[in-house]
Amino acid sequence: MDTVNVDLLHFDVFNLICTIINLLVLYWLMMKFLFKPIRKVIAQRNAEIDATYQDIKTKTEEAQSKNKEADARLAEIEQNRKEAVRKAKREANEVYDSIIADAKKQSDEILEEARHDTKLVIMEEKQKAKEEISTMIEDASLKISNEKSDQELYDKFLKEMDE
Amino acid sequence: MEEFVQDLVSQLNVETVFTIFHFKIFESVVVTWIIMLIMVLIAAWLGHGLSVQHPSRRQAAAEVIVTKLDALTEGMLGAKGKQYSGYIATVLLFLGFANLIGIIGLKPPTKDINVTAGLAIMSIVLIEAAGVHARGVKGWLKSFAQPIAIVTPINILEVFIRPLSLCMRLFGNVLGAFVIMEMIKLVCPAIIPAIFSLYFDIFDGLIQAYVFVFLTSLYIADATE
């Protein structure tokens, strides 16, 4: 059988360099077309997600602080309201008391006046009565001068009137 | 029998496709170009029209591929070697395609020792460059005398042994698988080659691609530690 010459370990520098250049070009193209853009997109998405989470955290904190602020303001308003009600009550009481006092004073004055007026009227009436009675007495005395038998009777009557 | 041997030899030989200025272009390089074209077209298709907020299905698939590849390579490279994950992933994909291309009838470029040697040289350059980058020139030189000074010659030898073993392992495995597959095809052209192809082309091809990048990553992780 003939010997078969197979040159399996044939090194060829040109083809070896070609392979190295091929690899470098392939690496460059793969990085340019696949790895870099995909990694960039993933990194961008992760950054966006992180930013969103950060944003949510900040907004939650903001909302919580605003809530607290609002609670504090509410409490303050409630306090003010109570204070105002208390003040209004106190003022109303004062006004009430003063009105009552005025009214009492006025009513006292009216009463006093009324009493005074009544007294005057009574005195006037008494005076009138006196005058009328004296007139009557005069009239009667005129009649009595005509009828002497009843003299004693009239005297007695006048005494009683004076009393 | 004579015919069989001649046929096998013709299959094993790395043929020259064309010549430029007396430089012979081997078919392995041409097949590499075909693989590069396929890979770049797929990459460009996957990587175009990306959207941050409304990813398409294609983009979702591309993101899964890139994320998984990055997780795989970064896991092997360690924290300090992360930056080389792009190259490692590219080599993994290239070797995967190269070792599987036998399925569609082309000769795998990794069957040519020039291709595996080129890959191994790239690997050792990257390993040593990563070492220099991580430790500085002084630290890199000192690392040869670690853990003890007496192993310095062995460490220096390793600079040559590592790429040689990388190169020969890949070349031997792919060539062996190729020879066995050719023999099976010559003996029985139907059905049986398909079954064996599952192991020799797909399983072994992918395993060798993984082993190559795994060892390269391991050496980089070791150099940058």
Side-chain angles (χ1 to χ4, degrees):
Chain A
M1 198 174 128
D2 298 333
T3 50
V4 180
N5 193 12
V6 183
D7 191 8
L8 288 177
L9 295 177
H10 172 73
F11 277 101
D12 182 278
V13 176
F14 178 73
N15 280 280
L16 201 147
I17 291 168
C18 275
T19 298
I20 292 174
I21 292 168
N22 281 346
L23 267 176
L24 290 173
V25 170
L26 181 64
Y27 168 60
W28 181 70
L29 289 172
M30 289 299 278
M31 286 305 275
K32 185 178 161 66
F33 287 120
L34 187 67
F35 290 110
K36 273 186 185 166
I38 298 273
R39 283 176 185 164
K40 197 176 155 196
V41 161
I42 291 172
Q44 273 176 353
R45 185 175 308 131
N46 285 343
E48 263 182 30
I49 290 168
D50 284 350
T52 311
Y53 271 114
Q54 193 57 46
D55 198 35
I56 289 168
K57 208 180 156 193
T58 319
K59 280 193 175 153
T60 309
E61 277 168 7
E62 226 168 72
Q64 276 171 349
S65 84
K66 272 187 181 166
N67 219 351
K68 265 187 190 169
E69 218 172 84
D71 281 350
R73 292 248 327 253
L74 262 180
E76 198 187 313
I77 289 166
E78 178 67 17
Q79 185 68 28
N80 287 345
R81 188 189 67 83
K82 277 183 180 168
E83 191 65 39
V85 167
R86 212 177 292 135
K87 200 178 160 195
K89 267 186 184 169
R90 201 173 54 231
E91 279 174 7
N93 279 337
E94 278 169 14
V95 171
Y96 172 80
D97 287 348
S98 82
I99 288 171
I100 292 289
D102 276 3
K104 209 181 168 212
K105 201 178 161 193
Q106 275 180 6
S107 72
D108 285 353
E109 277 170 13
I110 291 165
L111 266 173
E112 191 59 38
E113 214 172 297
R115 246 182 231 135
H116 187 254
D117 288 353
T118 315
K119 254 183 188 172
L120 284 178
V121 169
I122 288 169
M123 279 169 75
E124 246 171 52
E125 288 301 317
K126 257 185 178 174
Q127 193 62 38
K128 262 187 195 168
K130 255 185 183 173
E131 279 167 10
E132 268 175 31
I133 289 164
S134 57
T135 326
M136 275 166 72
I137 291 168
E138 268 172 33
D139 289 349
S141 57
L142 275 173
K143 275 179 186 173
I144 287 164
S145 59
N146 299 329
E147 297 166 38
K148 274 212 177 164
S149 59
D150 292 331
Q151 187 63 47
E152 282 176 16
L153 197 69
Y154 286 122
D155 286 345
K156 199 184 173 186
F157 171 73
L158 278 173
K159 240 177 208 170
E160 277 174 6
M161 283 301 282
D162 272 344
E163 280 170 7
Chain B
M1 191 65 197
E2 192 70 24
E3 202 181 316
F4 172 80
V5 172
Q6 284 302 324
D7 207 2
L8 186 60
V9 166
S10 76
Q11 286 292 324
L12 285 177
N13 267 331
V14 178
E15 280 162 33
T16 304
V17 180
F18 57 90
T19 309
I20 308 171
F21 305 120
H22 305 293
F23 290 118
K24 292 170 183 172
I25 302 286
F26 290 171
E27 64 176 340
S28 58
V29 173
V30 177
V31 176
T32 301
W33 289 340
I34 295 169
I35 293 167
M36 282 168 69
L37 185 70
I38 295 168
M39 281 174 73
V40 170
L41 284 178
I42 293 172
W45 177 69
L46 284 173
H48 86 273
L50 300 177
S51 159
V52 175
Q53 281 167 349
H54 305 289
S56 59
R57 274 194 201 173
R58 173 176 50 76
Q59 188 186 336
E63 282 180 18
V64 169
I65 291 167
V66 170
T67 313
K68 294 276 176 201
L69 275 174
D70 279 350
L72 178 75
T73 52
E74 282 170 14
M76 294 190 292
L77 285 163
K80 288 181 184 168
K82 258 186 184 174
Q83 52 191 315
Y84 309 108
S85 71
Y87 175 76
I88 295 294
T90 304
V91 171
L92 178 63
L93 289 174
F94 170 69
L95 285 177
F97 272 96
N99 293 348
L100 291 181
I101 202 131
I103 294 171
I104 60 166
L106 291 169
K107 287 184 189 173
T110 37
K111 185 184 74 64
D112 178 7
I113 197 158
N114 292 304
V115 172
T116 61
L119 280 158
I121 289 168
M122 279 298 294
S123 283
I124 197 66
V125 168
L126 187 65
I127 291 161
E128 299 310 327
V132 173
H133 187 259
R135 295 175 172 178
V137 179
K138 255 190 187 175
W140 174 68
L141 287 172
K142 273 183 191 166
S143 73
F144 282 100
Q146 279 166 355
I148 45 168
I150 201 158
V151 298
T152 308
I154 296 171
N155 279 338
I156 292 169
L157 270 178
E158 269 203 327
V159 175
F160 303 97
I161 292 166
R162 278 174 172 178
L164 187 68
S165 74
L166 281 174
C167 161
M168 287 304 178
R169 183 185 303 107
L170 184 59
F171 167 69
N173 268 283
V174 177
L175 183 77
F178 183 80
V179 170
I180 291 171
M181 280 311 297
E182 286 304 319
M183 288 169 113
I184 292 169
K185 276 183 207 164
L186 288 169
V187 173
C188 172
I191 302 170
I192 293 174
I195 298 161
F196 279 91
S197 174
L198 283 177
Y199 177 81
F200 288 113
D201 282 333
I202 299 175
F203 182 71
D204 192 44
L206 292 178
I207 285 284
Q208 289 312 315
Y210 182 73
V211 165
F212 188 92
V213 295
F214 175 73
L215 287 172
T216 304
S217 305
L218 207 69
Y219 297 150
I220 291 173
D222 191 40
T224 53
E225 226 168 47

